[in-house]
């Protein structure tokens, strides 16, 4: 699969990121990057730290929850004792009046 990025691969290689996030609505998955030999020398790829943001990552109040999710993926050592999905569920209940787990079930 061709991976289309807004940033040239040469620039990504030169930055050598620790973590790579893919927009939730991208037409490719994290595994596509992990399996692509062009990306093999990038630290995030070598360490398996390539994540596709959930589809619910839109520019809406849900973006706050995505930010927390991304922080937990970037710095798992600081979030190891925190139930991220439970916090997101509380947020959904307060902001939207529905359980995140119900939304997640519908979107999957």
């Amino acid at each position: 699969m061709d991976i289309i990025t807004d940033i040239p691969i040469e620039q990504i290689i030169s930055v050598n990121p620790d973590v790579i996030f893919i927009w939730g609505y991208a037409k490719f998955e994290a595994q596509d990057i992990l399996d692509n030999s062009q990306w093999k020398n990038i630290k995030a790829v070598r360490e398996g730290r390539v994540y596709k943001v959930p589809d619910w990552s839109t520019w809406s109040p849900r973006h706050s929850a995505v930010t927390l999710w991304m922080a937990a993926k970037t710095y798992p050592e600081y979030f190891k004792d925190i139930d991220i999905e439970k916090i997101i569920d509380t947020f959904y209940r307060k902001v939207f009046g529905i359980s995140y787990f119900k939304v997640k079930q519908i979107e999957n």
Side-chain angles (χ1 to χ4, degrees):
M1 165 176 270
D2 288 335
I3 299 171
I4 300 170
T5 63
D6 291 336
I7 303 169
I9 184 87
E10 296 82 10
Q11 186 174 356
I12 296 171
I13 290 169
S14 72
V15 172
N16 197 22
D18 293 337
V19 180
I20 295 173
F21 289 104
I22 303 165
W23 185 247
Y25 290 104
K27 302 290 186 211
F28 56 92
E29 302 296 324
Q31 198 62 48
D32 294 319
I33 290 176
L34 293 168
D35 292 343
N36 188 317
S37 62
Q38 290 181 307
W39 295 72
K40 69 181 179 188
N41 293 318
I42 299 171
K43 182 178 180 184
V45 175
R46 286 193 319 268
E47 295 180 359
R49 298 191 71 199
V50 178
Y51 306 101
K52 185 165 184 178
V53 179
D55 288 346
W56 47 264
S57 61
T58 61
W59 291 105
S60 72
R62 297 191 294 180
H63 195 67
S64 300
V66 171
T67 302
L68 176 63
W69 179 88
M70 290 174 76
K73 293 292 186 185
T74 304
Y75 301 104
E77 65 275 16
Y78 296 120
F79 293 87
K80 64 183 174 199
D81 298 329
I82 299 172
D83 186 341
I84 299 299
E85 284 196 327
K86 184 177 179 184
I87 293 171
I88 293 172
D89 183 59
T90 300
F91 172 83
Y92 265 61
R93 288 174 185 276
K94 286 183 180 180
V95 174
F96 302 114
I98 188 170
S99 168
Y100 161 71
F101 297 108
K102 187 170 190 92
V103 172
K104 183 178 174 182
Q105 186 178 39
I106 292 168
E107 289 181 346
N108 290 332

